[in-house]
Amino acid sequence: MQSLIEIFSKDSTYMLEIYATCLLLSKNRTAFIRQFALFPNYPLASMTAEGHQPERLTEFINLGCHAFVMDQDVVEPFLDGYIRSHDLAMFRNPNKTIIVLRDPDAAIDRAALFDMFHRHPAMREIVNLLILLPEEDKVDLWTHRYPTDDPYPLATFHRQNVTIDGMGGLLMAEFCMKFNCTWDVSIDQLGEWGTIYENWTGNGIVGTLAERRADVGIGSLLSWWTSHQYLGFTAVLRKVGIGCFVPRPHLIPTWKTVALVFSPTVWICSVLSVVCCIVMYDLISKYDPSPEAEHRSLGWNAVNVVAMFLFNGAKILYGSLSECVLSIALIAFTINFGNIFIGKNASLQAFPLFDPPIDTIEDMAKAGMIWSHTHEAWAHSVRKTSNPYLMKVATNYRIHPIPELNVLADQGKVGFAVSKMNYGHFMIGDFITAKNVMLYRMMSEDLYFDWEVSKVTKTWPLKDLLSDMILRFSDGGLREFQEPVQAKRHMDYGVQIRIFHSQDREEVPPHAMSCEDLLAPFIVLGAGVVVALVAFAGEMTWSRVERRMPKNLKWAVFK
């Protein structure tokens, strides 16, 4: 027995790629523990045959142990705690090696030992098994294998044969063909990607894996930090960019462009200029000794200055030198100001304006844009961000069922999460159709990117083989061929084309001016008419009141 331990200790790294070994022997095997202690590079642990200790074994797994040497008395308690111990561990290595040393004088015979291995469910998670059976002057070596009668399995769901398609599905179908798997399909349409809770239950794909109702989960699963403590990740299938399909900027009505000719600062300066001119004319008229100056009230000066700004008939005042200088300056200013206003307004009419687009994360945060989809997974990767704009965007994410999304998509008021595929296609919900796709446009900046992986249980023994096939798919460029085929087969390709061109500028052909284009002057005229009617009604009322007042009271009022 000692020679076997020495051979294993010296050659395990070279032969089996084992770098840490855990020795599990019952209490009556202390001699073997002392022999193995001659090799200090290996962590050692002892487990009694009376009961297993999965939490303690987890400590050694986290040290890197993925090879286990034990005697037959420890086999059953070790296998009982095998899955739980590895689920609790953060270190994960699918290449597990189990070496069992059988004592020929043990009470358990060979048949009972083999039967125990055969029926134990943990054996489905163990790749390398070696049983050493000493017999007099020789040692028999035994291992396991999983035979199957069907070299070309079909996938089944609810006892019905189903066709596996899609980029992830075809990968798994090819994997099962190559490695002769017998497999079944588990679908949780309502749970979608799913959620894992602290008690190791959940729903959807990741919940099914956490509860070990499946071995592999595939289908646009990103490397979410919350599921890493429960599951193992394979090699990266592809890099995924997550963007947002936001409402298209609306065309600004031409009547609103009158206010957009100048910035708010220019408008404020213009109003202040008018007020200053009115005050100056009123001040000059008070010290003007001519008889005409007596009729120039504050209201008269205000109307005259406004008329000059509007290029309407106005009396040019030049009774004194100060009035002459002020009038010349005001005429020069209004001519330049008016011509600039008219030219700028004409250019805005020739080139239609749109609302500011939402192209970046900062734009989306400042606009308070609500964006939505069917699952928390779309925003999960940015929940821990420190970017203040991205934090605001994450808080504006909403989850809605499909019927509600169909209604929201037709309204064109909220955004929708979109996955950008590697070769120019977009993964978006069916609620974006040819009917409403023209209401939206893609942001020029992605919200974030992440890595798509396949997720497995921590002890699934074929993880490395699946990762190897994933990398071969990527290196061979098969996804560049596969992506457009799947897009044409399962997506509305017309919608895909419109999404791709959604950032193109919207064409507004020339058209005859309508009432909407002249709404601004009509609003000004209507407001003036209404104010004039109110003033006229007030004047008529005051006139009637004045006629009924006694003369002495009237004299007192006007005095």
Side-chain angles (χ1 to χ4, degrees):
M1 185 67 68
Q2 180 178 0
S3 61
L4 291 175
I5 294 177
E6 293 177 352
I7 294 174
F8 174 76
S9 302
K10 294 178 180 179
D11 298 336
S12 60
T13 300
Y14 177 77
M15 298 291 293
L16 302 175
E17 297 183 357
I18 294 173
Y19 301 94
T21 305
C22 187
L23 181 62
L24 306 173
L25 299 175
S26 57
K27 287 184 177 180
N28 58 349
R29 299 291 190 270
T30 54
F32 293 142
I33 295 177
R34 287 196 300 268
Q35 293 172 0
F36 220 97
L38 298 174
F39 307 96
N41 294 330
Y42 298 100
L44 298 180
S46 64
M47 180 178 291
T48 63
E50 289 77 14
H52 58 83
Q53 299 172 319
E55 290 78 10
R56 187 182 178 202
L57 183 58
T58 299
E59 298 177 6
F60 290 92
I61 296 173
N62 282 329
L63 292 175
C65 293
H66 55 100
F68 304 91
V69 180
M70 65 193 71
D71 62 45
Q72 65 185 35
D73 294 334
V74 188
V75 171
E76 189 166 8
F78 170 77
L79 293 179
D80 290 341
Y82 179 84
I83 293 178
R84 180 60 178 169
S85 298
H86 284 82
D87 279 345
L88 295 175
M90 292 307 297
F91 181 82
R92 67 277 320 261
N93 188 322
N95 185 29
K96 305 296 181 180
T97 299
I98 309 298
I99 297 180
V100 179
L101 311 177
R102 181 178 180 271
D103 188 347
D105 299 328
I108 303 177
D109 59 8
R110 175 186 298 188
L113 181 64
F114 287 175
D115 180 69
M116 187 270 298
F117 278 114
H118 177 72
R119 60 180 171 81
H120 204 287
M123 291 305 298
R124 294 181 175 271
E125 311 291 332
I126 296 173
V127 180
N128 304 313
L129 172 67
L130 180 63
I131 306 175
L132 287 78
L133 302 177
E135 295 288 344
E136 296 180 354
D137 58 346
K138 66 177 181 177
V139 177
D140 291 339
L141 303 179
W142 291 75
T143 187
H144 65 335
R145 68 185 181 95
Y146 297 111
T148 179
D149 298 329
D150 185 6
Y152 301 102
L154 299 167
T156 59
F157 178 66
H158 289 175
R159 299 182 180 179
Q160 296 179 352
N161 289 341
V162 295
T163 302
I164 300 299
D165 203 353
M167 301 182 68
L170 292 177
L171 173 66
M172 289 306 303
E174 186 66 24
F175 178 83
C176 291
M177 291 279 288
K178 180 176 181 180
F179 295 103
N180 199 21
C181 299
T182 300
W183 63 309
D184 195 1
V185 176
S186 176
I187 301 176
D188 184 357
Q189 191 67 36
L190 295 177
E192 297 190 63
W193 293 280
T195 303
I196 302 177
Y197 305 108
E198 293 183 358
N199 61 353
W200 288 80
T201 63
N203 56 16
I205 299 178
V206 294
T208 302
L209 294 174
E211 295 179 0
R212 290 187 172 268
R213 290 183 280 118
D215 294 319
V216 188
I218 194 166
S220 299
L221 297 172
L222 304 184
S223 54
W224 299 310
W225 50 274
T226 51
S227 61
H228 182 263
Q229 60 179 318
Y230 302 99
L231 306 174
F233 295 0
T234 64
V236 174
L237 280 78
R238 62 187 177 101
K239 180 182 177 181
V240 180
I242 303 299
C244 194
F245 207 37
V246 296
R248 182 181 293 275
H250 295 94
L251 180 67
I252 298 177
T254 53
W255 64 270
K256 289 185 178 180
T257 59
V258 176
L260 298 176
V261 171
F262 295 139
S263 66
T265 304
V266 176
W267 282 115
I268 294 174
C269 293
S270 302
V271 173
L272 292 177
S273 300
V274 172
V275 173
C276 289
C277 291
I278 294 172
V279 172
M280 284 294 297
Y281 275 119
D282 186 66
L283 181 64
I284 293 173
S285 65
K286 288 182 179 180
Y287 294 95
D288 189 351
S290 62
E292 295 181 357
E294 296 179 359
H295 303 287
R296 299 173 194 166
S297 63
L298 179 63
W300 187 94
N301 285 318
V303 172
N304 195 64
V305 171
V306 172
M308 295 180 67
F309 268 87
L310 297 178
F311 288 171
N312 288 326
K315 185 175 182 179
I316 307 301
L317 303 179
Y318 49 87
S320 63
L321 179 61
S322 58
E323 276 188 345
C324 183
V325 173
L326 180 59
S327 298
I328 292 174
L330 182 58
I331 292 172
F333 174 76
T334 54
I335 290 176
N336 284 278
F337 186 87
N339 288 333
I340 292 172
F341 178 87
I342 294 172
K344 184 64 175 179
N345 188 46
S347 65
L348 293 181
Q349 297 285 348
F351 300 97
L353 297 179
F354 293 84
D355 292 330
I358 298 177
D359 276 332
T360 64
I361 297 174
E362 183 177 353
D363 294 338
M364 192 172 176
K366 290 181 177 179
M369 174 61 62
I370 300 297
W371 58 301
S372 179
H373 217 284
T374 59
H375 197 275
E376 165 65 17
W378 292 95
H380 188 71
S381 296
V382 293
R383 291 300 187 191
K384 294 291 185 179
T385 181
S386 59
N387 184 323
Y389 295 115
L390 201 53
M391 291 171 62
K392 179 67 179 300
V393 170
T395 59
N396 289 332
Y397 178 73
R398 302 291 185 269
I399 300 174
H400 293 282
I402 292 295
E404 294 182 11
L405 290 175
N406 290 330
V407 176
L408 291 173
D410 291 338
Q411 296 175 354
K413 296 181 180 179
V414 301
F416 300 97
V418 179
S419 173
K420 294 183 176 180
M421 305 176 80
N422 296 145
Y423 299 100
H425 298 87
F426 304 89
M427 188 173 71
I428 194 168
D430 294 336
F431 43 83
I432 299 297
T433 63
K435 174 184 175 182
N436 55 39
V437 67
M438 300 306 295
L439 300 176
Y440 302 90
R441 70 191 295 271
M442 280 297 302
M443 290 174 54
S444 59
E445 181 182 15
D446 289 348
L447 297 180
Y448 65 92
F449 78 89
D450 210 329
W451 307 104
E452 180 184 341
V453 297
S454 176
K455 298 186 179 182
V456 300
T457 59
K458 284 186 177 181
T459 56
W460 191 56
L462 304 182
K463 186 183 80 169
D464 285 349
L465 296 177
L466 179 57
S467 295
D468 180 73
M469 176 169 283
I470 289 172
L471 296 176
R472 290 178 183 272
F473 262 63
S474 300
D475 293 344
L478 297 180
R479 290 190 173 274
E480 184 176 4
F481 166 77
Q482 189 183 32
E483 182 179 306
V485 172
Q486 297 298 319
K488 292 179 180 178
R489 183 178 298 171
H490 300 289
M491 303 176 184
D492 188 328
Y493 212 70
V495 172
Q496 291 286 314
I497 295 298
R498 289 186 175 92
I499 295 176
F500 183 81
H501 290 284
S502 63
Q503 291 187 352
D504 296 349
R505 182 177 177 84
E506 183 178 351
E507 295 184 2
V508 182
H511 62 280
M513 296 189 72
S514 60
C515 291
E516 183 182 4
D517 298 322
L518 300 174
L519 192 57
F522 282 123
I523 291 176
V524 175
L525 178 60
V529 171
V530 171
V531 173
L533 288 174
V534 173
F536 178 73
E539 292 172 350
M540 294 299 294
T541 303
W542 177 252
S543 177
R544 292 179 181 179
V545 173
E546 186 180 17
R547 286 197 298 268
R548 296 175 182 177
M549 291 173 61
K551 291 185 178 181
N552 57 352
L553 181 60
K554 186 187 304 184
W555 179 84
V557 171
F558 285 99
K559 184 178 180 182

